[in-house]
Amino acid sequence: MTGAVLQLAMPEVTGSGAAREFGRVLAGVILDGQAARLAQEIDAVFLAEAGWDPARRVLSMPAGHRLLGRAVCRVGGCATTAQPVTGVCFSCCTWLTGQGLSTGQILQMPVLPPLPARAAACAVPGCLAVPTVSHAIMCEPHARQFRRRVRTPAMEQFLADPRVRPLLPLGPCAVAACTRAAGGARGLCNTHYQRWRIVTSSDPDRDMARWQLTDGEVTEGGQVSLRGLPPLVVVQVLFGIWQRTRSGAKITDVALRGACRALSCQQATSIESCDIAVVPSKPTRSLLGALVRHVRRALSDPGSEHGKDVWDLGVFGHAGRLSFTGISQSWLREAAKDWAAEDLPRHRGKGARNVQTKISALARLSESLRCRPDHGDLPAALGRADIENFLSRLGYLESAGTISRYHRNVICRGARTVLAGIRALGLTRPGQAAAGLHGDFAIGAGDIPATPVRGEPRRDLPPEIMTILCASLDALQPPEVRAATEIAIDTGRRPEDILGLPLDCLAHDKDGTAVLVYDNAKADRMGRRLPVSQATATVITGQQDRVRAQFPGTPPAELRLLPATRCNPDGRKPMTIDMLEGRHREWVDGLGPLRTRDGAAADPAKITPYAYRHTYAQRHADAGVPIDVLAELLDHRNLNVTRGYYRVGEDRRRDAVDKVTAMSFDRHGNRIWRDARALLESEHARYAVGEVAVPYGRCTEPSNVQAGGDACPVRFRCAGCDHFRTDISYLPDLTAYLDDLLRTRERLAAAIGGIDDWARADATPSDEEITRIRRLISTIKGDIAQLPAAERARTDEAVTIIRKHRAVSLGMPGIRGRALA
């Protein structure tokens, strides 16, 4: 039987896998099964550091231990845990008060009077029984004999009485968990005897034997008794303590004592059988849950988890749980488990949530199948009609407002992925979980409703809101959260990328410019480099100094820039996203209503750490940063992804188009119209339909427009064509084109011989083209120079907007000068 325990006088150590004794864990006990597996793993060095006595089964937690320690009473000779305010224990505080000291004096005195020395032996000569009561000079049997004298004699007379004989050492208290000697009546220590009297006064029929098994030990400062617990439970508790301290979590003697008392009261044969919900203390419940979790994971593996309907994802290296309880068909549930076991190793970080999303989608399909007469239990009986019923059900739920279109699409995509994965794994073959499932029981791409086209992204924060947030950063605590927020605002990195920064994340280029070195966890792109400002570098160096001062004993290469504030004694664990988002949410909510320029209150729910990434993108987009450069700053491979991070409002874009269009020119430099605002919407649309983008402008030639710009009969000599139109937004391109024409002409003029005249003439830019382009540039610049300063600034902003949203710069075909370059 798993966890069985045998008591032998002379235990024999056998080979691996057989029953054997682990003296460092439990002395004189033979362990096998789960107990042996766990005991073999427990580190002997940890047990020694934790103060474990394998013979007495008592844990004497050292006061100076970094995770098991505690504040000891300041009174000399007292080892009890101190109260937070006074620095002394309750008992010593009462004793000092009795000595005439006030609470204020106790707080102010640097050195407090020591406790009176405790007698190490009974005053009766030759007595081997040790006094068990504080400040007593005799053992309890002799003290009781002294108190029963009719006339209280002098102590010298009592000790000289021949009837007072020395006693043998007292036996242990009958309470299983107690570590004291049985100095009182009924084989109990004094404290337990008093407890028993109180119990019987209210419940005279109380079973004493049962009470002795379930009552807790007498509290001793820093000591936790595991006596009275089954050996398997003792090993499980020790293993859980070891694992919990390895993870950096602190354990107090109070919480651990409560956990052992709960196990004893419930007479648990295994820590997993303990009903944690009935434990009154929250810290004790939390500790018990952690101990159970560590034990379960140590005894589990992915194979053993497969048989459960709720998986502990810690076994797979992820956080949280994965539930299959929503899938009622056994074949579908088992097939889903096989797919999940195959898919989980492919995810990083919080990617396991995607697996739960897909399993939840499959639970929706299971719910639909339950409406069949056979409840969907026969995979061979399922077909396309069942898929259509499922899709129709989702459509109904969307129309009823139960789910959104986005949620409907998520369910369809998730169920489709799992069903496709089940087939890819061969689970529809004979003998497999989904044997006999027809091929038409599948969701195709056409079955998924079209995703609504989203409008422009609006996840960035308005400048006035950012001004308020930046001015209030000093109220954001702790310093690690404030530093993470400042880095997010300044760099626009994802929260997980910021929290994953090592201590040495700041580098410098050759010119001395600060560079942030980070890992793009989402795209699995390591060692990315982002130029940062000196202000950001100052924030990082300040945080580095705090971390080094906080964890001086840890090598800097192992430290994190933003270490967790809990369960992290060495600074090796980064802060969690939940910690960052939680403290950030408290800070934002504490700032009160935040209003934009027009007086509208900003939605606090939208002010999140990730919103700073969108704000960073919008800030740079507004500054005219080209989209390819912005994509590089955001570490995007796809420009379409970058476009989803910033917006230009429709009104703002239309105003920019009007300003730029009002300064449109033909090939001769003549203004086409001066008031584009007077055009009707239909006229705007007509002009847009009747034009096509060409190098440095637009073409209105009908055949070329119909061919999408690929039917130009003059080989892109736009400056010589009456169908060519341009505007001020193309001025930088026209200037660059003119420079290219001049350079090409100079290179051809200086070219070596061996080139036919007709080839040289064809490749050389004509003087007419150069003159036409130069005149066009001069005309545009002249019109701009005539504008008032304010209007010129607004025009420049409009040009920036138009150029930012122009996907590509067509440019002239590079046929000139390539052979000579």
Side-chain angles (χ1 to χ4, degrees):
M1 184 177 182
T2 303
V5 180
L6 307 174
Q7 295 283 355
L8 298 179
M10 293 295 292
E12 179 182 358
V13 179
T14 58
S16 177
R20 55 173 291 193
E21 181 189 11
F22 297 87
R24 68 180 188 277
V25 180
L26 281 176
V29 179
I30 297 296
L31 305 175
D32 70 354
Q34 289 186 5
R37 288 176 58 186
L38 295 175
Q40 188 173 7
E41 296 292 330
I42 301 177
D43 185 12
V45 176
F46 163 77
L47 293 177
E49 291 178 351
W52 172 244
D53 187 338
R56 297 177 61 231
R57 301 188 187 183
V58 174
L59 193 67
S60 301
M61 301 161 69
H65 197 282
R66 59 178 184 174
L67 297 175
L68 301 177
R70 68 196 193 284
V72 180
C73 178
R74 295 193 295 124
V75 175
C78 181
T80 308
T81 303
Q83 298 182 74
V85 178
T86 61
V88 298
C89 66
F90 178 79
S91 176
C92 288
C93 184
T94 303
W95 174 70
L96 291 172
T97 304
Q99 299 294 317
L101 296 176
S102 65
T103 304
Q105 290 175 324
I106 295 175
L107 289 171
Q108 295 175 0
M109 292 180 65
V111 179
L112 295 172
L115 288 174
R118 189 168 184 170
C122 180
V124 176
C127 182
L128 300 179
V130 179
T132 57
V133 179
S134 300
H135 316 312
I137 61 173
M138 292 186 294
C139 64
E140 185 57 26
H142 281 131
R144 190 164 49 248
Q145 186 180 359
F146 178 79
R147 291 191 299 268
R148 288 176 179 174
R149 294 296 175 93
V150 178
R151 294 182 179 179
T152 304
M155 181 59 64
E156 295 78 4
Q157 182 181 358
F158 176 78
L159 296 177
D161 192 334
R163 293 173 296 177
V164 179
R165 299 178 180 179
L167 303 175
L168 295 174
L170 300 176
C173 177
V175 174
C178 187
T179 60
R180 294 188 173 186
R186 291 179 167 269
L188 303 172
C189 66
N190 292 327
T191 303
H192 277 114
Y193 178 68
Q194 298 301 326
R195 289 184 187 178
W196 175 246
R197 292 184 61 185
I198 296 173
V199 168
T200 54
S201 63
S202 59
D203 185 8
D205 298 330
R206 183 70 174 271
D207 183 3
M208 185 175 186
R210 172 73 179 177
W211 177 81
Q212 290 174 352
L213 291 174
T214 59
D215 198 58
E217 82 277 22
V218 179
T219 302
E220 298 282 354
Q223 286 192 0
V224 180
S225 172
L226 275 68
R227 300 166 64 91
L229 298 176
L232 172 61
V233 177
V234 174
V235 176
Q236 289 174 331
V237 170
L238 293 175
F239 180 86
I241 296 172
W242 173 51
Q243 288 295 315
R244 186 144 176 83
T245 54
R246 285 185 66 187
S247 66
K250 292 185 178 181
I251 300 178
T252 65
D253 56 342
V254 177
L256 184 57
R257 193 177 295 114
C260 295
R261 189 165 299 171
L263 293 168
S264 177
C265 289
Q266 298 185 26
Q267 288 292 283
T269 58
S270 171
I271 194 172
E272 294 181 286
S273 65
C274 179
D275 187 0
I276 301 177
V278 301
V279 178
S281 171
K282 182 178 179 180
T284 301
R285 290 197 305 270
S286 176
L287 178 58
L288 274 171
L291 299 182
V292 171
R293 186 166 55 251
H294 287 304
V295 170
R296 183 190 299 123
R297 290 177 179 176
L299 300 174
S300 300
D301 53 44
S304 63
E305 285 293 303
H306 193 283
K308 303 175 183 178
D309 289 340
V310 179
W311 289 3
D312 181 0
L313 291 181
V315 178
F316 298 86
H318 298 284
R321 295 186 176 186
L322 181 59
S323 176
F324 299 89
T325 55
I327 306 175
S328 59
Q329 296 80 16
S330 59
W331 69 270
L332 186 58
R333 184 169 58 251
E334 293 304 314
K337 290 179 181 180
D338 291 339
W339 172 83
E342 181 76 13
D343 193 62
L344 278 172
R346 304 180 182 182
H347 294 277
R348 304 183 305 273
K350 293 187 176 181
R353 293 179 178 178
N354 297 329
V355 179
Q356 179 63 77
T357 300
K358 294 177 174 61
I359 295 300
S360 299
L362 203 64
R364 289 276 191 176
L365 176 60
S366 173
E367 179 183 354
S368 176
L369 296 179
R370 283 200 293 271
C371 298
R372 287 175 50 92
D374 60 359
H375 305 296
D377 293 330
L378 301 176
L382 303 178
R384 178 62 188 178
D386 299 290
I387 293 294
E388 292 177 353
N389 290 337
F390 169 60
L391 298 174
S392 299
R393 177 64 179 172
L394 293 180
Y396 165 75
L397 293 176
E398 181 190 354
S399 64
T402 305
I403 61 176
S404 64
R405 169 61 64 87
Y406 175 78
H407 191 196
R408 178 183 174 187
N409 289 352
V410 168
I411 294 174
C412 290
R413 288 194 298 266
R416 179 191 181 198
T417 300
V418 180
L419 291 178
I422 288 173
R423 285 192 168 82
L425 293 174
L427 300 179
T428 58
R429 298 173 183 171
Q432 298 297 323
L437 187 66
H438 292 294
D440 59 354
F441 187 78
I443 300 176
D447 295 327
I448 302 176
T451 303
V453 179
R454 296 183 178 181
E456 286 189 322
R458 293 184 178 272
R459 296 180 61 182
D460 63 293
L461 302 177
E464 53 270 30
I465 300 299
M466 287 301 303
T467 300
I468 299 173
L469 294 176
C470 292
S472 306
L473 281 172
D474 290 340
L476 181 56
Q477 295 296 328
E480 293 80 7
V481 175
R482 184 176 68 250
T485 303
E486 291 185 77
I487 295 173
I489 293 174
D490 294 345
T491 66
R493 299 308 93 185
R494 300 182 184 91
E496 57 267 29
D497 297 343
I498 295 174
L499 298 181
L501 291 173
L503 182 68
D504 187 17
C505 62
L506 194 64
H508 292 83
D509 286 337
K510 295 180 179 179
D511 59 356
T513 305
V515 176
L516 178 69
V517 182
Y518 71 98
D519 293 336
N520 184 341
K522 183 177 181 180
D524 200 21
R525 303 173 71 185
M526 305 293 107
R528 312 304 295 170
R529 297 174 68 88
L530 176 73
V532 295
S533 65
Q534 185 57 43
T536 305
T538 302
V539 172
I540 295 174
T541 54
Q543 177 62 19
Q544 288 174 333
D545 294 340
R546 284 192 295 268
V547 173
R548 290 192 186 97
Q550 186 177 359
F551 305 102
T554 305
E558 301 177 11
L559 288 172
R560 294 290 181 175
L561 179 67
L562 302 166
T565 56
R566 297 177 63 251
C567 303
N568 189 30
D570 299 321
R572 293 183 172 92
K573 292 173 57 178
M575 183 195 311
T576 63
I577 291 183
D578 292 339
M579 171 71 174
L580 172 62
E581 292 179 345
R583 293 299 180 91
H584 186 273
R585 171 56 48 211
E586 295 174 2
W587 171 63
V588 171
D589 292 343
L591 296 179
L594 303 178
R595 301 191 179 276
T596 58
R597 187 177 305 166
D598 56 2
D603 185 2
K606 295 182 178 180
I607 306 177
T608 63
Y610 202 95
Y612 298 132
R613 181 168 174 82
H614 287 264
T615 306
Y616 173 88
Q618 186 68 50
R619 183 169 69 246
H620 284 76
D622 289 341
V625 175
I627 189 172
D628 54 341
V629 178
L630 185 56
E632 184 68 23
L633 291 176
L634 294 175
D635 201 19
H636 288 158
R637 291 190 177 100
N638 191 338
L639 295 184
N640 290 328
V641 176
T642 306
R643 289 189 179 95
Y645 274 78
Y646 66 91
R647 62 182 174 82
V648 174
E650 185 61 33
D651 294 340
R652 186 180 176 196
R653 185 188 296 114
R654 174 59 189 270
D655 184 66
V657 171
D658 288 343
K659 288 183 181 300
V660 171
T661 306
M663 301 189 70
S664 295
F665 304 84
D666 61 13
R667 68 187 180 102
H668 300 289
N670 299 319
R671 292 279 286 270
I672 298 174
W673 58 65
R674 292 183 177 274
D675 192 3
R677 297 180 185 274
L679 294 176
L680 300 176
E681 292 292 339
S682 59
E683 293 176 297
H684 270 285
R686 184 167 63 252
Y687 278 109
V689 171
E691 296 177 344
V692 66
V694 295
Y696 317 121
R698 305 176 302 280
C699 177
T700 61
E701 202 281 322
S703 61
N704 194 34
V705 171
Q706 186 175 5
D710 294 330
C712 179
V714 294
R715 298 176 60 188
F716 290 99
R717 298 296 189 269
C718 298
C721 179
D722 277 337
H723 298 285
F724 176 67
R725 303 286 185 270
T726 190
D727 57 54
I728 58 173
S729 67
Y730 290 98
L731 181 59
D733 304 312
L734 289 170
T735 303
Y737 180 45
L738 176 62
D739 294 339
D740 181 62
L741 291 176
L742 296 174
R743 284 193 301 268
T744 302
R745 187 172 65 176
E746 294 298 325
R747 285 200 303 268
L748 286 171
I752 59 176
I755 301 176
D756 290 339
D757 292 340
W758 65 266
R760 186 187 299 274
D762 182 70
T764 302
S766 65
D767 293 338
E768 292 81 359
E769 182 179 11
I770 293 175
T771 301
R772 183 65 55 79
I773 295 297
R774 183 177 284 141
R775 183 189 306 146
L776 185 58
I777 293 174
S778 177
T779 301
I780 295 175
K781 288 183 176 180
D783 279 17
I784 295 175
Q786 295 177 5
L787 296 175
E791 183 65 23
R792 189 183 310 146
R794 287 193 291 269
T795 302
D796 291 341
E797 181 183 1
V799 169
T800 300
I801 294 172
I802 294 299
R803 291 184 60 82
K804 180 173 58 181
H805 285 272
R806 189 173 292 148
V808 294
S809 176
L810 294 177
M812 280 291 184
I815 58 175
R816 291 186 180 134
R818 281 190 180 176
L820 303 177

